[in-house]
């Protein structure tokens, strides 16, 4: 590493930016800042993505100078700062650097900024890099900027840091790499990933077994990579018989982390997460056991819920983990997967900007003057959907205006070292419950507080922390409370709240239980939730104001609470409902008050499930508070809903009387025969022309029953074309005169609404004598089918060719029926016979003979 430091300084003198690629353990984090401090007057800022790395880097550089942090080498992070007037190198978290740039973009007195571990693609790292490049371009062209990476894939990074179209120089440092033996130690049977963040206990059993194997195979401390805190606890339980098992993770206290990073007597097993992948040296480690898993945040932007997902580690991360074994000498790495599986690992993890909640990012770039991140030198553009959700959230918090620019309130929120939602809870909660209690609750629900545990009852957890029963967790929580309280006091200068108002509005009126729910509701109004199931059921199921269902653990003491303010919830992959992780009970009135921005009244006039819905609802987001019939609906809106309903369900809600049905079939027949101007009366056509024929009647509809009262016959007649309609009864008559003089009704029931089928005339044989041809309709275009009946009215023959019937069918009918009906005429020549309606009168001598 030392050999390339002059090259780095020279590149910075020439262009002001460079990319340094160096493997883990090469000294880039400790040696480079010292070299820059020697080359230029002023302060060198080193930005690290993690707090644990920030403190460790400062301690290592101070150790090289024979000092303690706080002298020439200092560090700063949330709640912990050790710097002095002599400080030349200050190591900070990337988040703190972002906020410092927002408050002091000139970086007065700073000569160089080193942004470490850029390859990890943390969101704050991307943001700090973009801000620094903007400062160089517009305010401080003399500011030197170095981006360091442990992976050789640095071309994109060099392009971002370049200027005038030329990429920045990439300087690669080689390290005295000790050999690391890679041992693939896959389980005997494949253990699949679970659907959510959990890890199969069988894999944890296997990891513990591999740790024991590694201890038996040779010397050296063992560093075990696991995805999260719960897995660290689980594996520690499985290794409880070993003498020195040490956890190391980000949410530990600083003292616990420091103990894990100090040399120790005896052999150790250090159980850690991704915090130890880079920028840290855990002394004594010669063996790495890699579970092969990584835990990453995922956000369901449509529901506003985040979850942690357990994924397979990437190849680049696996390489960095393996490198931990070779920092101080030859080592071994045991990978808990097969060599074949190794080939299918992703090259890199996804950048955080692609998977995270971007609300804080959106506020930061708006505060910087680049709403949406437009015009900034970002490694990747933020996803549009995630950014739209973030902007909508900030507008709801009144932090952004309609054009996406930051508001005065947004600037106050940005001053709070917390996410925008939690900043809002702290500022507005101060007026309601007092600044100290607001800070206590925000510290409890923030990701920077103590490790969560003790169930899902937030109020119970709050009491435990205040009691100090868990000394380590209480200490971390109290430190976070102090930090947030100070942040709240800084923003109070721009507000009208006073200490007297605080006391009156907070401590004297609102009890602790309700205070907790109020602050949570201010942070997450979309997670105010009401019990879904009726009384007497399990009391687990809730509906959140954001529209997502949520479930309590069946063993929680919160079961059956009518309302909850949910602080922490996640939705595992494949689940419709979220799991409630941390919540506080509250009452309906408080929920409506706290979630006032989501309260609205909604008049619903719509067609649903075959009926007309007319109701007025009061809602808190998606939660229906009240549902009443709508007494004064807008007739025009009702009419539009009815039209929609008829288009959805068809004409079924209408009642077609027999007369209306007959009229429709006659009209269909003429449309089939002539086409236009005779109207099409099939369902699709009537629905398309609904305004033309049914419009006047729809004005009076107020409920579904009104549709059935419409005179559909009169409505259909509106479609009849004029003047052609004057011939309607002639072209499709209801009755036809037969030779006997009778006016017989034409049966159109065989004609469908498309005009297919034939009209039927049922007439007795005797009334048709002398009729040479069957009648036709529609100016001769449509033949009528004759149903020729016996004297008793039973069908004797069916024909539309009457002449043929008289010649061929009638003789058979005559032979079959004349003996049965002797009083009726059965002439040999029906065309020459006179038609008759009635049988011949009997002679007196025949009256004893039955018909």
């Amino acid at each position: 590493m030392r050999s390339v430091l002059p090259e780095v300084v020279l590149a910075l003198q020439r262009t002001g930016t460079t990319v340094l690629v160096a493997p883990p353990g090469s000294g880039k984090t400790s040696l480079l800042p010292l070299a820059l401090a020697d080359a230029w007057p002023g302060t060198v800022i080193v930005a690290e993505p993690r707090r644990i790395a920030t403190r460790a880097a400062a301690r290592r550089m101070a150790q090289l100078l024979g000092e303690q942090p706080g002298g020439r080498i200092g560090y700063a992070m949330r709640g912990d700062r050790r710097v002095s007037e002599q400080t030349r190198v200050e190591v900070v978290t990337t988040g703190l650097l972002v906020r410092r740039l927002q408050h002091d973009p000139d970086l007065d007195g700073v000569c160089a900024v080193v942004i470490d571990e850029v390859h990890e693609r943390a969101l704050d790292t991307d943001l700090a890099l973009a801000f620094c490049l903007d400062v160089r371009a517009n305010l401080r062209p003399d500011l030197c900027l170095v981006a360091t990476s442990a992976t050789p894939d640095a071309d994109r990074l060099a392009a971002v840091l370049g200027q005038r179209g030329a990429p920045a120089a990439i300087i690669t440092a080689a390290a005295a790499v000790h050999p690391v033996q890679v041992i693939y130690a896959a389980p005997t049977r494949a253990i699949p990933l679970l659907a959510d963040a959990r890890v199969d206990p069988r894999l944890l059993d296997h990891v513990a077994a591999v740790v024991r194997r590694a201890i038996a195979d040779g010397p050296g401390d063992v560093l075990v990579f696991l995805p999260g805190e719960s897995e660290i606890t689980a594996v520690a339980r499985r290794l409880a018989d070993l003498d020195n098992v040490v956890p190391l993770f980000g949410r530990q206290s600083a003292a616990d982390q420091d103990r894990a990073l100090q040399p120790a007597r005896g052999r150790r097993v250090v159980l850690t997460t991704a915090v130890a992948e880079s920028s840290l040296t855990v002394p004594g480690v010669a063996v790495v056991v890699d579970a092969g898993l990584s835990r990453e945040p995922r956000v369901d932007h449509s529901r506003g819920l985040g979850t942690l997902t357990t994924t397979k580690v990437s190849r680049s991360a696996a390489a960095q983990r393996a490198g931990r074994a070779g920092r101080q000498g030859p080592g071994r790495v045991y990978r808990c997967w097969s060599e074949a599986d190794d080939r299918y690992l992703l090259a890199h993890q996804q950048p955080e900007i692609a998977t995270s909640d971007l609300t804080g990012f959106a506020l930061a770039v708006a505060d910087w003057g680049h709403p949406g991140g437009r015009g900034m030198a970002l490694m990747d553009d933020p996803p549009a959907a995630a950014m739209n959700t973030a902007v909508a959230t900030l507008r709801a918090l009144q932090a952004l205006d309609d054009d996406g620019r930051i508001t005065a309130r947004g600037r106050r929120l940005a001053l709070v070292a917390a996410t925008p939602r939690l900043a809002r809870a702290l500022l507005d909660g101060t007026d309601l419950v007092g600044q100290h209690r607001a800070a206590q609750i925000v510290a409890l629900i923030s990701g920077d507080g103590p490790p969560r545990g003790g169930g899902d009852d937030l109020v119970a957890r709050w009491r435990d922390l205040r009691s100090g029963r868990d000394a380590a967790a209480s200490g971390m929580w109290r430190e976070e409370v102090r930090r947030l309280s100070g942040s709240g006091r800084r923003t109070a200068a721009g507000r009208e709240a006073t200490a007297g108002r605080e006391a009156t509005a907070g401590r004297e009126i609102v009890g602790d239980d309700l205070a907790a729910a109020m602050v949570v509701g201010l942070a997450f109004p979309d997670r105010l939730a009401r019990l879904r199931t009726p009384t007497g059921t399990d009391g687990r199921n809730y509906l959140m104001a954001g529209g997502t269902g949520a479930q309590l653990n069946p063993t929680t003491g919160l079961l059956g609470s009518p309302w909850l303010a949910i602080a922490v919830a996640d939705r595992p992959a494949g689940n419709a409902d979220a799991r409630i992780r941390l919540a506080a009970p509250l009452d309906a009135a408080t929920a409506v008050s706290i979630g006032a921005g989501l309260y609205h009244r909604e008049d619903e006039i719509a067609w649903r499930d075959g009926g007309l819905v007319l109701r007025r609802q009061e809602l808190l987001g998606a939660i229906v508070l009240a549902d009443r019939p709508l007494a004064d609906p807008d007739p025009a809106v009702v009419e539009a809903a009815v039209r929609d309903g008829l288009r959805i369900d068809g004409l079924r809600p209408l009642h077609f009387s027999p007369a209306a049905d007959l009229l429709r079939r006659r009209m269909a027949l003429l449309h089939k025969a002539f086409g236009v101007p005779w109207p099409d009366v099939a369902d699709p056509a009537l629905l398309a022309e609904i305004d033309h024929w049914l419009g006047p009647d729809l004005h009076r509809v107020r409920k579904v029953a009104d549709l059935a009262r419409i005179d559909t016959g009169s409505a259909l007649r509106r479609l009849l074309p004029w003047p052609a309609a004057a011939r309607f009864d002639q072209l499709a008559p209801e009755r036809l005169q037969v030779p006997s003089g009778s006016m017989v009704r034409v049966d159109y029931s065989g004609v469908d609404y498309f005009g297919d089928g034939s009209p039927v005339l049922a007439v007795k044989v005797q009334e048709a004598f002398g009729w040479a041809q069957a009648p036709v309709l529609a100016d001769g275009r449509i033949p009528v089918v004759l149903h020729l009946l016996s004297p008793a009215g039973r069908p004797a023959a069916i024909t539309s060719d009457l002449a043929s019937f008289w010649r061929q069918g009638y003789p058979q009918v005559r032979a079959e029926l004349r003996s049965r009906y002797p009083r009726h005429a059965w002439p040999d020549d029906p065309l020459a016979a006179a038609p008759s309606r009635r049988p011949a009168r009997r002679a007196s001598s025949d009256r004893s003979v039955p018909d």
Side-chain angles (χ1 to χ4, degrees):
M1 181 68 204
R2 294 180 187 274
S3 63
V4 302
L5 292 178
E7 188 179 353
V8 173
V9 171
L10 182 60
L12 291 174
Q13 288 171 341
R14 287 174 176 169
T15 63
T17 63
T18 191
V19 177
L20 175 61
V21 177
S26 61
K28 67 180 185 300
T29 303
S30 54
L31 298 180
L32 173 64
L34 295 176
L36 298 180
D38 287 339
W40 282 279
T43 303
V44 176
I45 291 180
V46 181
E48 295 288 344
R50 298 184 179 91
R51 297 181 184 184
I52 186 172
T54 300
R55 200 166 42 246
R59 183 176 290 112
R60 174 59 179 160
M61 281 187 279
Q63 187 180 42
L64 291 174
L65 299 180
E67 301 177 357
Q68 291 294 321
R72 284 180 290 174
I73 310 298
Y75 70 83
M77 63 186 75
R78 288 185 185 180
D80 190 4
R81 187 167 187 260
R82 295 190 184 183
V83 296
S84 65
E85 292 182 357
Q86 290 76 40
T87 298
R88 291 292 315 284
V89 177
E90 183 179 2
V91 190
V92 301
T93 57
T94 50
L96 186 63
L97 176 58
V98 167
R99 285 185 292 280
R100 186 174 294 182
L101 283 163
Q102 288 173 311
H103 301 151
D104 178 22
D106 285 327
L107 289 180
D108 189 34
V110 175
C111 63
V113 175
V114 178
I115 301 181
D116 201 12
E117 310 297 356
V118 177
H119 61 275
E120 293 189 10
R121 299 302 311 282
L123 188 56
D124 278 341
T125 301
D126 283 5
L127 201 52
L129 183 64
F131 282 3
C132 285
L133 287 169
D134 207 31
V135 168
R136 268 189 49 80
N138 298 292
L139 297 174
R140 289 280 314 277
D142 62 314
L143 181 69
C144 294
L145 178 61
V146 182
T148 74
S149 175
T151 62
D153 183 20
D155 290 340
R156 275 204 318 164
L157 181 57
V160 170
L161 266 68
Q163 51 190 346
R164 292 187 290 276
I170 300 175
I171 299 171
T172 302
V177 178
H178 298 286
V180 175
Q181 180 187 5
V182 178
I183 302 164
Y184 290 96
T188 55
R189 292 185 179 180
I191 301 174
L193 291 176
L194 300 180
D196 55 16
R198 295 177 301 119
V199 174
D200 195 309
R202 294 174 298 171
L203 181 57
L204 300 180
D205 292 339
H206 177 69
V207 171
V210 173
V211 171
R212 295 180 186 278
R213 172 186 167 184
I215 292 172
D217 284 351
D221 288 358
V222 182
L223 183 65
V224 185
F225 282 98
L226 293 159
E229 297 169 29
S230 60
E231 289 76 27
I232 287 176
T233 302
V235 173
R237 241 186 349 257
R238 289 164 168 81
L239 301 174
D241 59 307
L242 300 182
D243 289 336
N244 202 354
V245 177
V246 181
L248 175 62
F249 53 89
R251 289 165 63 90
Q252 279 178 304
S253 67
D256 288 339
Q257 290 175 349
D258 290 344
R259 276 193 292 271
L261 295 176
Q262 296 299 319
R265 293 181 179 179
R267 195 172 188 185
R268 299 187 304 166
V269 174
V270 180
L271 306 179
T272 189
T273 62
V275 298
E277 280 182 8
S278 56
S279 298
L280 286 179
T281 297
V282 182
V285 169
V287 183
V288 166
V289 173
D290 190 351
L293 300 176
S294 178
R295 187 150 293 152
E296 299 177 356
R298 293 288 187 272
V299 177
D300 184 342
H301 297 291
S302 63
R303 293 176 169 86
L305 292 174
T307 187
L308 291 173
T309 300
T310 302
T311 63
K312 293 182 178 180
V313 71
S314 68
R315 283 200 301 272
S316 62
Q320 289 196 71
R321 293 178 180 186
R324 304 294 98 185
R327 279 205 165 183
Q328 297 174 312
R332 291 166 283 133
V333 58
Y334 294 79
R335 290 176 169 169
C336 297
W337 63 90
S338 70
E339 190 171 4
D341 289 340
D342 192 72
R343 290 192 289 270
Y344 294 100
L345 296 178
L346 295 175
H348 303 279
Q349 305 295 116
Q350 288 194 74
E352 207 171 84
I353 197 171
T355 61
S356 295
D357 176 8
L358 298 184
T359 310
F361 172 87
L363 184 62
V365 294
D367 193 17
W368 190 253
H370 289 266
R374 292 181 294 275
M376 297 185 67
L378 293 166
M379 293 278 286
D380 289 283
D381 291 330
M387 201 63 183
N388 290 340
T389 300
V391 168
T393 299
L394 292 172
R395 283 177 179 160
L397 296 176
Q398 299 176 347
L400 299 182
D401 63 18
D402 291 340
D403 295 323
R405 293 188 297 264
I406 194 167
T407 62
R409 176 175 169 81
R411 294 192 189 280
R412 287 198 298 272
L413 294 176
L415 287 173
V416 180
T419 66
R421 284 177 177 266
L422 295 179
R424 184 265 175 125
L426 180 64
L427 297 185
D428 293 354
T430 293
D431 289 343
L432 296 175
V433 305
Q435 186 183 82
H436 189 59
R437 289 197 300 172
Q440 286 185 335
I441 300 159
V442 171
L444 173 56
I445 65 179
S446 73
D448 297 311
R452 294 189 183 105
D456 53 13
D457 188 335
L458 186 146
V459 177
R461 178 68 170 147
W462 186 17
R463 289 178 182 138
D464 285 345
L465 290 170
R466 285 187 299 186
S467 72
R469 281 194 289 267
D470 184 342
S474 292
M476 292 180 65
W477 171 69
R478 293 181 192 282
E479 179 58 40
E480 183 69 4
V481 172
R482 282 192 292 272
R483 186 184 68 80
L484 289 169
S485 295
S487 185
R489 282 191 294 272
R490 285 193 299 273
T491 58
R495 309 173 70 229
E496 296 179 357
T498 64
R501 179 184 172 190
E502 234 179 66
T504 302
R507 298 178 183 84
E508 296 181 5
I509 298 176
V510 180
D512 281 355
D513 290 7
L514 196 55
M518 292 170 74
V519 173
V520 170
L522 287 170
F524 305 105
D526 51 328
R527 296 185 200 166
L528 293 166
R530 190 174 71 176
L531 186 65
R532 243 177 177 171
T533 51
T535 304
T537 58
D538 61 7
R540 292 180 58 200
N541 297 309
Y542 287 78
L543 176 64
M544 293 191 288
T548 301
Q551 285 192 346
L552 282 168
N553 186 300
T555 61
T556 179
L558 295 173
L559 284 176
S561 299
W563 284 83
L564 291 175
I566 300 174
V568 181
D570 58 34
R571 192 177 70 89
N575 285 23
D577 288 347
R579 296 177 299 191
I580 299 172
R581 298 299 200 186
L582 197 63
L586 74 165
D587 57 82
T590 304
V592 173
S593 174
I594 293 297
L598 298 175
Y599 176 84
H600 62 288
R601 288 195 310 177
E602 202 171 87
D603 289 348
E604 185 178 16
I605 302 174
W607 189 275
R608 183 175 299 122
D609 299 328
L612 189 61
V613 176
L614 303 173
R615 66 183 180 188
R616 173 164 290 165
Q617 292 183 324
E618 294 179 45
L619 300 107
L620 187 68
I623 300 171
V624 178
L625 303 171
D627 191 340
R628 303 179 183 88
L630 187 59
D632 53 345
D634 184 337
V637 180
V638 174
E639 186 176 337
V642 171
R643 283 191 180 87
D644 290 342
L646 293 174
R647 291 187 181 102
I648 294 168
D649 289 350
L651 302 176
R652 285 175 297 174
L654 299 173
H655 173 65
F656 287 87
S657 66
D661 183 72
L662 172 62
L663 174 64
R664 187 179 177 189
R665 294 177 191 276
R666 292 163 67 200
M667 294 169 70
L669 196 71
L670 295 185
H671 177 73
K672 178 77 172 182
F674 296 106
V676 294
W678 297 99
D680 183 353
V681 290
D683 282 14
L686 288 182
L687 289 170
E689 294 292 330
I690 198 165
D691 290 337
H692 186 192
W693 67 283
L694 203 61
D697 297 291
L698 294 181
H699 297 326
R700 298 185 293 274
V701 173
R702 293 296 178 272
K703 52 185 180 294
V704 175
D706 293 341
L707 287 171
R709 298 189 185 100
I710 291 175
D711 183 351
T712 49
S714 297
L716 285 171
R717 286 189 178 276
R718 296 187 184 113
L719 293 173
L720 288 173
W722 294 96
R727 297 187 63 220
F728 179 64
D729 288 331
Q730 176 187 346
L731 296 173
E734 288 191 51
R735 294 176 179 272
L736 285 174
Q737 186 172 26
V738 299
S740 67
S742 297
M743 296 297 294
V744 179
R745 184 178 297 278
V746 181
D747 181 3
Y748 289 92
S749 62
V751 179
D752 64 23
Y753 299 140
F754 291 95
D756 295 322
S758 300
V760 171
L761 189 71
V763 60
K764 292 180 180 180
V765 173
Q766 283 74 21
E767 292 196 69
F769 290 161
W771 211 354
Q773 297 293 332
V776 291
L777 306 181
D779 287 343
R781 296 171 186 248
I782 301 172
V784 175
V785 176
L786 292 177
H787 285 204
L788 297 171
L789 310 177
S790 71
R794 298 186 181 93
I798 297 175
T799 184
S800 57
D801 186 353
L802 192 57
S804 176
F805 169 74
W806 292 134
R807 289 192 309 272
Q808 299 173 14
Y810 174 72
Q812 183 178 349
V813 170
R814 177 175 179 268
E816 291 177 359
L817 297 181
R818 69 177 180 172
S819 60
R820 193 178 306 168
Y821 303 102
R823 292 181 52 221
H824 293 264
W826 299 99
D828 290 335
D829 184 1
L831 287 173
S836 63
R837 300 179 185 177
R838 298 181 181 84
R841 188 179 296 277
R842 289 181 182 175
S844 57
S845 59
D846 294 333
R847 288 180 183 170
S848 60
V849 180
D851 287 346

